[in-house]
Amino acid sequence: MAESYLRIAGLIICLRADPSVLEGLRRRCGEYATPPAAADLTVDARAVSGFTPAAPTVAAYPNADVERDADGYRFRRMDLEARLVPGERAVATCITAGSPLSLECVLRLCLSVLLPARGALMVHCAALAHSSGGYAFTGVSGSGKSTVLKFLADDPRVQSLGDEVTILRPVTDGVVVESTPFGGELDPVPPASALLKRLFFLNRSPGRLDTPTGRSVRLLRNCLSYSRDATLARLTVDHAHAVVTRSECREIVRPTPAELRAAIDLSDPISG
């Protein structure tokens, strides 16, 4: 077993796994590496060649089955089985098929449970930043999150904060949007954050944007939330309400590059 440390969304994560699995994960998450320190989450992973789950999975891949028991959470997917015991020093044990992406999925599942208690949400969301602030684009798979960033890939004024999973954290003076190493169609991005200026909903939905409840419902549909605990569920709802009441929310569906630039206050051409 080898050991590696990451810092994601302010949490120190200690990973213990087969060296080849850790090396593959480092290639995706290496810019989030941090020196050894007291870990908020320790993950012990065992790779098993030809792994299959002990029981048939119900959730359609790539989603996971989630169960709650007296001590914690159990996650099961066609390529992994994991158990998380939450707390100030959370511990997860898992068996995976040996793919770095399987271990990355374990991290996503664990963080989705741990972050609400630490004041943040994991959201299916693309995000970017430039001089006027941060902009987040939340939507279901296929709604255009990666396309938004592809439209702006050649603009030197824009910094990508990720195209798949980002963190939204309500703070006293607004909402902070933070990058994660969990990429979608595009490569993972380095650690970065910005004060959120606008939150865009990419997919049309019956939820209304003219009320805080409607906006909260729209956001919660795209949150990575596997909580089966009433306290954490309440925190998740409260954080979603804080996000949509402390930031400007708009709907933008399949924008053209020109419409996108106008929406994020970059309608002026690139100089030089």
Side-chain angles (χ1 to χ4, degrees), residues 157-181:
R157 299 168 296 179
V158 172
Q159 178 184 18
S160 171
L161 300 179
D163 75 320
E164 175 66 11
V165 175
T166 51
I167 306 298
L168 297 178
R169 186 187 302 276
V171 294
T172 302
D173 56 348
V175 178
V176 172
V177 55
E178 304 175 44
S179 63
T180 74

Side-chain angles (χ1 to χ4, degrees), residues 68-69 73 86 113 226-236:
R68 179 80 164 94
D69 59 27
Y73 287 80
V113 171
Y226 296 97
S227 173
R228 300 295 187 269
D229 174 89
T231 300
L232 287 180
R234 181 71 257 173
L235 286 172
T236 300

Side-chain angles (χ1 to χ4, degrees), residues 70-90:
D71 299 317
Y73 287 80
R74 294 184 182 275
F75 307 111
R76 191 172 73 254
R77 204 171 76 159
M78 61 182 293
D79 59 339
L80 65 88
E81 291 181 351
R83 174 171 174 75
L84 169 69
V85 179
E88 289 301 313
R89 295 287 180 259

Side-chain angles (χ1 to χ4, degrees), residues 129-133 157 266:
H130 61 76
S131 58
S132 67
R157 299 168 296 179
L266 277 182

